[in-house]
Amino acid sequence: MGKPGSDPSDNKHEQPLQAVLLADTFDNAWHPITLEAYDGHADGTKGKERPLVLCPLNNVPLLNHSIDFLQVRRRRLYGCLFANAASHAMSSHLVTLLLRQGAGVRELFLISTTGSDALEQYLSSHSPNAQHYADGDRNNSTSQHKIMWSSKLTVTLLRFSDCTNIGDALRELDRRNVIKSDPFILMQGDVITNVDLREVLLSHAARKKRDGSAIMTVLLSDVGGWGIDGRPDSGENPNAPPDARGGEADFFPPLRSSTDDLVLALDTTRGMDEARILLWDDRPSKRNAAIPTSFFVENSSNITLTRNLIDIGLDICSPDVLARFSDEFDYRELRSQFVANCVSEEEIGLQSRIYGYVLRRGEYAGRPLGDMRRYHTVSMDVLRRWCYPLVPDNYHNRGSDGGKTEDAVANYVCERHYVYRNVGKGNTNNMRSHVGRSTQLLGPLLLGPNNYIGEHCCLQRSTLGPNCKVMDHCSVIDSHLWGDVLIEEGAKLNGVIVCEGGIVRKGAIVERGCVIGKGCIVGEGVALKEFTRITMVVEVQEEDDFSGFDESSSEEESSSEEEEEDHEEEDGHDKQTSVVNAKEAEMIAATGITDYHVVGPDGRGRVWTPSPPDEYDSEDDDDAAQESAIELMKSQSIGYDVTLVYRKWKELQMEEDDNFSDEGRGSDSDDDDIDMGDEWDNDGIVDNNANNAAASHLDEEGMQITGRQKGVDVVKELREICLEHETSSPVENLRIELNSFKFSQNATYADCCKGAIMAVIDKILEKSDSPSPAKLVSSLKKMLEYWGPLFQSICMGSEEERAIIHGLENMALGAGKAAYVLGTEPAFRFVLQTLHDQEILNEEALFEWAAERKEEASDTPRGKLFRQKPTQDFLEWLEEDSDEETESGDDDDDSV
């Protein structure tokens, strides 16, 4: 890699450094903004949507921030920096800091799955150079477009329109065989950081030379752990913002996501810069985490368990990473699947080691597009100059459109209290902002080009894009106005994002968490409820081969249903996104759909609410699914009280088990997956000897099971296989996968049945947190329409059927949602009866299980569950029915 401390890109004998930038996050956190048309295209046109990386952060598209961070800028900075150092007596340390910026990337691959046309248009019109090279048909899902962005950087846009997740995109990238540099940079499209990547690249290369299995380095940032009723004593944290408290006794780092809670185990023998990751668990619903015991033997000197770190979305990778994704075709997620599985591998020689690099003091990293709450946090941190030299006065004369046009040029100066104002270009004043004398400006605050601020206004912790007008007596707090926005007299905005061309009429009040879409209008005097999102977007439904049938009647029914919904929902804002076909979308885009009862008679736009996830396909779960989707949207909005999220996490993670304690057991199961063995003592406490004998890799005599890998919980792994299976594919595929794993670990069909029934209950509870017994049975019947054939094929006899009952027992006697739902009478009886009615459990297996449990003491957990009155009534009914059938058979024999 050249001499120590040198720029990796300077070595002419090696492959120039390459980087991969993921332009999509594959989630809906920024809907409906990313569904809107970009740069004048008609809404609903595929490929013309606004890409996430073209959303502005402090009046500059995120794509520009990413390219500036990655490309070589050292030669350009030499002249201006030394001149500035002479004129401002800049310290040598600051000069060194500025000179080291730029990762030295020579070739950037931009992966796009949505909004590809808009990205191509932006790159073509905003590139400093005019050299463009197209490869393939632009309408082809695998075409690419190459642009000479600068003399030292080429940008290649890769259209992966058929990919729906990161795993698919990386597999397609590997198939293209365009990544030649080792290592290469893998970066999410919304990373804002000032980390010195050259040092990380050199340390990764040296480590890879020592250990060929070190395929990846993940960059992490220390922001501190979260705490309820007491801030964790983690020492001084140089990267945690001072306002990261939810209350006097609570601590909520604002850069943390509201959807994941990362727990890491690190081998810090060589220090935090060379820390090998031994555990990666980002699921907030888990009550415990598991580390393979073999790691304690191999890395016993220094193992650190921490939750103070966050993933910044930036990795140094070997091309082996792409090859692993191609080999493991079921990997969909980069972190929760690929990284989590790689770090847990124990088999020496087969391990793919992943290391972590923790940012140092003065280095900053944030992910603004994870959700809108973090977007506001990162924007304010940049204005506070935490990410220096990435600050507005160092934007190098780039405006909100990247600086391609002369009228978009912005030169910012930083005034007191982090108030940034555009001072125009050179001696011209035409782009300078006008601010009324009586207006109060409280930083951090960014005023873009050609802003007009009236009298007696209050602006605080906000950003204003170009050509925004705020009239007299207005209040704009914790808000972002993206460009050409008009705020009329007396309007009040608190925690709002207003997209291009948005208007808030006189006297209107827009509460926290609201989003005003492109071209939308909030009418005069309207009070918009918190977390309301207004848009002009119409969701387009993809037509199939049968879409032409009965078109007129369906349109009439749709119209009448919409009128009824409007009438029923006049008192609230909860309304589903309209789903129409492409022809209807064109007509609606021309005429517009407006919820006048929400935005007022002089307003424009309709209320957008998130659609439930695809897995919520049961009518019984529609309400719960919609409620969950709305709550997630709120948690990702500006101004949301994150205390609610953390308190929910705490309840899940700290929930006590009423039946027994896990302490000292070393359990590696999930919150619902408590493997208690089959033997309990008279006090209801797990018999330790019996539990050890029931370990997953040991037989009843405590001997290692032949062919089974030590430390592998086969039931847990089989359960995970079922949970990850997509029901859109045939169930036969799942049976083959379970059978393959069974043979590889010398497991049994009973293990397969146990893991499968647990996964079915998990999937039901994913759709509804606490269903009633009747709703649980209804959901189970619907699930068995798909899963029933699997159980029919793997249940070879009563042993497998008893394993199904044992799996249900373990969940009912464990902890978490499953224990609450199955332990509530008469849910357990209903589930057994449903499985019996569906011919998955027969009487013989139920009677054998009942004979086992009759020997249980009545005060043990299993005894209490077995002796629930509904369960006993069901067993009595089965015995009576069986006796009647036997008597009937005897009578028939006698008559013969």
Side-chain angles (χ1 to χ4, degrees):
M1 296 295 294
K3 296 180 180 180
S6 64
D7 189 337
S9 63
D10 288 344
N11 195 328
K12 298 181 180 180
H13 300 286
E14 296 189 4
Q15 177 69 33
L17 182 62
Q18 295 174 312
V20 176
L21 187 67
L22 299 172
D24 300 290
T25 57
F26 301 99
D27 59 29
N28 302 331
W30 279 80
H31 284 182
I33 291 178
T34 52
L35 299 177
E36 295 174 341
Y38 179 75
D39 200 17
H41 293 290
D43 288 338
T45 305
K46 187 173 180 59
K48 307 296 185 182
E49 312 95 334
R50 184 203 305 268
L52 269 174
V53 293
L54 294 188
C55 292
L57 179 77
N58 296 346
N59 295 344
V60 174
L62 279 161
L63 180 60
N64 289 76
H65 287 304
S66 299
I67 292 178
D68 279 355
F69 168 72
L70 291 171
Q71 70 178 336
V72 179
R73 292 188 286 118
R74 186 175 58 177
R75 185 171 298 174
R76 182 181 64 183
L77 287 173
Y78 263 115
C80 66
L81 287 177
F82 282 118
N84 290 336
S87 58
H88 299 287
M90 186 182 295
S91 66
S92 59
H93 171 74
L94 184 56
V95 174
T96 303
L97 176 65
L98 289 175
L99 286 177
R100 75 184 186 185
Q101 299 305 310
V105 172
R106 299 302 181 100
E107 189 172 11
L108 173 64
F109 293 95
L110 181 60
I111 296 179
S112 172
T113 59
T114 59
S116 300
D117 290 345
L119 268 174
E120 181 178 333
Q121 175 190 346
Y122 180 86
L123 291 171
S124 300
S125 60
H126 293 79
S127 170
N129 291 331
Q131 301 180 36
H132 311 281
Y133 309 94
D135 182 8
D137 182 6
R138 62 179 299 176
N139 296 321
N140 192 319
S141 61
T142 59
S143 65
Q144 63 185 40
H145 189 79
K146 187 173 182 180
I147 297 172
M148 289 295 300
W149 184 266
S150 68
S151 61
K152 294 186 178 181
L153 178 68
T154 62
V155 179
T156 303
L157 175 64
L158 301 177
R159 295 169 175 262
F160 291 174
S161 57
D162 294 334
C163 298
T164 60
N165 54 74
I166 294 178
D168 289 344
L170 295 182
R171 277 184 284 273
E172 178 63 22
L173 182 66
D174 185 49
R175 190 186 68 82
R176 298 283 189 93
N177 195 29
V178 294
I179 300 301
K180 304 297 182 182
S181 70
D182 187 5
F184 70 95
I185 299 172
L186 180 60
M187 181 176 176
Q188 302 289 335
D190 63 336
V191 177
I192 297 296
T193 182
N194 62 354
V195 63
D196 182 10
L197 272 189
R198 298 187 307 141
E199 182 178 351
V200 187
L201 287 165
L202 291 172
S203 62
H204 174 89
R207 186 164 50 245
K208 185 69 164 60
K209 189 174 182 180
R210 294 194 309 266
D211 181 4
S213 62
I215 64 172
M216 189 174 185
T217 300
V218 179
L219 274 70
L220 306 164
S221 179
D222 187 350
V223 298
W226 58 272
I228 298 288
D229 301 327
R231 178 172 179 170
D233 185 15
S234 57
E236 182 183 1
N237 176 19
N239 296 321
D243 58 350
R245 291 177 179 267
E248 291 186 358
D250 300 334
F251 178 65
F252 310 124
L255 291 176
R256 282 189 171 275
S257 169
S258 62
T259 57
D260 61 65
D261 183 22
L262 182 60
V263 176
L264 293 174
L266 304 172
D267 173 19
T268 57
T269 304
R270 293 176 174 267
M272 293 299 288
D273 292 345
E274 293 280 339
R276 179 189 170 191
I277 301 176
L278 305 177
L279 169 69
W280 184 287
D281 190 341
D282 57 3
R283 290 174 287 180
S285 61
K286 288 194 64 177
R287 188 163 57 93
N288 48 48
I291 306 175
T293 54
S294 60
F295 288 168
F296 287 90
V297 177
E298 183 181 353
N299 310 282
S300 58
S301 55
N302 285 286
I303 293 183
T304 300
L305 190 65
T306 179
R307 61 172 188 173
N308 289 358
L309 305 175
I310 62 170
D311 168 32
I312 74 168
L314 185 58
D315 308 312
I316 311 300
C317 302
S318 165
D320 296 336
V321 172
L322 301 180
R324 280 292 302 269
F325 268 93
S326 296
D327 293 339
E328 304 288 344
F329 61 89
D330 55 338
Y331 281 155
R332 297 169 55 88
E333 302 297 332
L334 180 62
R335 294 292 189 253
S336 60
Q337 292 181 339
F338 174 76
V339 173
N341 289 338
C342 284
V343 301
S344 64
E345 292 173 347
E346 300 180 71
E347 202 70 33
I348 297 178
L350 299 179
Q351 294 174 334
S352 295
R353 301 193 177 196
I354 298 179
Y355 288 78
Y357 176 89
V358 181
L359 271 60
R360 299 176 178 178
R361 176 183 292 272
E363 293 181 330
Y364 175 89
R367 299 280 305 277
L369 294 186
D371 54 56
M372 297 179 185
R373 180 179 58 85
R374 283 193 288 171
Y375 172 85
H376 177 66
T377 298
V378 174
S379 173
M380 295 300 103
D381 287 349
V382 171
L383 295 184
R384 292 188 183 102
R385 310 179 79 80
W386 283 41
C387 197
Y388 194 87
L390 179 60
V391 291
D393 43 318
N394 280 343
Y395 280 174
H396 305 294
N397 298 332
R398 286 187 287 107
S400 61
D401 69 344
K404 184 70 175 179
T405 58
E406 185 69 19
D407 59 354
V409 173
N411 282 351
Y412 294 102
V413 294
C414 182
E415 301 177 349
R416 289 183 177 182
H417 308 298
Y418 302 117
V419 174
Y420 295 83
R421 298 177 65 174
N422 176 55
V423 295
K425 182 180 180 182
N427 297 322
T428 61
N429 296 319
N430 60 323
M431 298 298 292
R432 297 188 181 186
S433 299
H434 169 81
V435 180
R437 289 180 176 271
S438 57
T439 287
Q440 189 177 19
L441 303 180
L442 303 174
L445 183 69
L446 178 69
L447 302 181
N450 200 28
N451 285 172
Y452 175 86
I453 314 297
E455 299 290 343
H456 303 287
C457 295
C458 178
L459 278 68
Q460 183 177 13
R461 296 188 302 273
S462 300
T463 64
L464 280 68
N467 307 314
C468 290
K469 292 184 179 181
V470 180
M471 309 310 287
D472 299 343
H473 301 282
C474 291
S475 173
V476 180
I477 300 174
D478 293 323
S479 299
H480 301 268
L481 316 183
W482 279 5
D484 299 299
V485 173
L486 173 61
I487 310 297
E488 293 188 353
E489 183 177 358
K492 299 183 183 299
L493 284 72
N494 188 353
V496 181
I497 293 179
V498 185
C499 298
E500 297 89 341
I503 299 175
V504 179
R505 296 293 186 192
K506 181 178 179 181
I509 299 176
V510 186
E511 297 289 351
R512 60 173 180 153
C514 289
V515 174
I516 311 301
K518 184 177 181 180
C520 294
I521 301 174
V522 178
E524 182 175 346
V526 170
L528 203 60
K529 291 175 60 177
E530 59 185 19
F531 305 115
T532 301
R533 299 188 180 186
I534 303 297
T535 183
M536 294 294 294
V537 171
V538 178
E539 183 176 342
V540 180
Q541 184 181 53
E542 294 185 4
E543 299 182 2
D544 54 24
D545 295 338
F546 304 97
S547 60
F549 290 96
D550 203 14
E551 182 176 354
S552 60
S553 61
S554 64
E555 289 180 355
E556 293 173 0
E557 292 174 1
S558 176
S559 176
S560 62
E561 289 176 0
E562 289 178 3
E563 292 175 0
E564 291 176 3
E565 290 178 1
D566 288 345
H567 177 72
E568 293 173 356
E569 298 173 357
E570 286 181 356
D571 296 331
H573 293 173
D574 295 335
K575 182 179 178 182
Q576 287 293 331
T577 303
S578 297
V579 180
V580 297
N581 59 34
K583 293 181 179 179
E584 291 173 327
E586 293 178 2
M587 181 180 65
I588 291 170
T591 59
I593 287 183
T594 295
D595 292 335
Y596 292 108
H597 63 284
V598 176
V599 299
D602 56 341
R604 182 170 64 196
R606 51 180 297 278
V607 174
W608 180 89
T609 52
S611 300
D614 295 337
E615 59 264 23
Y616 288 95
D617 54 0
S618 171
E619 293 182 358
D620 297 331
D621 298 319
D622 281 349
D623 293 340
Q626 188 63 51
E627 181 180 351
S628 176
I630 291 175
E631 191 61 31
L632 176 61
M633 178 197 72
K634 290 181 179 179
S635 70
Q636 296 174 335
S637 301
I638 300 175
Y640 182 80
D641 183 7
V642 293
T643 308
L644 304 176
V645 174
Y646 288 111
R647 290 196 181 280
K648 182 179 179 181
W649 289 1
K650 183 179 179 181
E651 291 175 2
L652 290 172
Q653 298 172 5
M654 303 298 292
E655 188 174 19
E656 292 293 337
D657 188 354
D658 296 333
N659 301 317
F660 66 97
S661 172
D662 282 337
E663 185 175 358
R665 293 179 57 230
S667 172
D668 60 354
S669 58
D670 293 345
D671 54 350
D672 291 337
D673 188 9
I674 307 295
D675 189 1
M676 297 173 292
D678 292 328
E679 298 187 23
W680 295 69
D681 65 13
N682 293 332
D683 296 328
I685 306 299
V686 181
D687 182 16
N688 289 331
N689 294 329
N691 190 63
N692 291 337
S696 184
H697 62 280
L698 303 178
D699 60 17
E700 294 180 356
E701 298 178 356
M703 301 298 291
Q704 175 77 31
I705 297 177
T706 304
R708 182 167 302 178
Q709 184 177 349
K710 184 178 180 181
V712 173
D713 187 337
V714 293
V715 174
K716 178 182 177 182
E717 295 296 330
L718 290 164
R719 182 180 181 180
E720 290 293 334
I721 291 173
C722 294
L723 286 172
E724 294 172 2
H725 176 70
E726 297 290 341
T727 56
S728 58
S729 60
V731 74
E732 177 66 15
N733 295 351
L734 176 60
R735 189 193 68 80
I736 294 173
E737 190 172 358
L738 293 177
N739 207 34
S740 300
F741 182 84
K742 180 180 78 70
F743 282 117
S744 68
Q745 294 296 328
N746 197 17
T748 64
Y749 279 115
D751 295 328
C752 296
C753 291
K754 190 174 183 180
I757 193 63
M758 288 177 150
V760 169
I761 300 298
D762 285 338
K763 285 179 174 288
I764 293 174
L765 297 182
E766 284 178 1
K767 301 177 180 180
S768 181
D769 286 340
S770 54
S772 63
K775 189 173 182 180
L776 174 65
V777 169
S778 177
S779 301
L780 178 59
K781 288 181 179 179
K782 186 169 184 64
M783 293 285 286
L784 290 177
E785 294 176 4
Y786 178 86
W787 292 85
L790 174 68
F791 288 108
Q792 297 287 356
S793 63
I794 62 178
C795 284
M796 302 299 177
S798 60
E799 180 182 356
E800 288 75 23
E801 294 176 16
R802 290 200 310 273
I804 293 177
I805 305 176
H806 292 159
L808 294 171
E809 274 186 320
N810 288 354
M811 299 186 79
L813 299 177
K817 295 184 294 184
Y820 174 78
V821 172
L822 290 175
T824 302
E825 299 183 23
F828 192 74
R829 174 251 170 95
F830 280 3
V831 172
L832 293 180
Q833 185 171 347
T834 301
L835 294 173
H836 175 263
D837 294 342
Q838 299 295 321
E839 299 183 351
I840 295 174
L841 298 179
N842 61 28
E843 292 87 347
E844 181 183 356
L846 287 165
F847 291 155
E848 291 177 357
W849 167 74
E852 294 174 3
R853 294 296 170 257
K854 284 180 181 178
E855 300 177 1
E856 289 279 352
S858 59
D859 57 348
T860 64
R862 291 185 189 271
K864 292 178 181 178
L865 179 68
F866 170 70
R867 288 175 173 81
Q868 287 183 352
K869 188 177 185 306
T871 303
Q872 293 300 310
D873 292 343
F874 171 59
L875 293 174
E876 291 176 6
W877 175 82
L878 276 181
E879 291 177 355
E880 294 175 358
D881 186 65
S882 177
D883 292 340
E884 291 177 359
E885 291 181 357
T886 302
E887 292 175 0
S888 175
D890 292 342
D891 293 342
D892 293 341
D893 293 339
D894 294 340
S895 63
V896 173

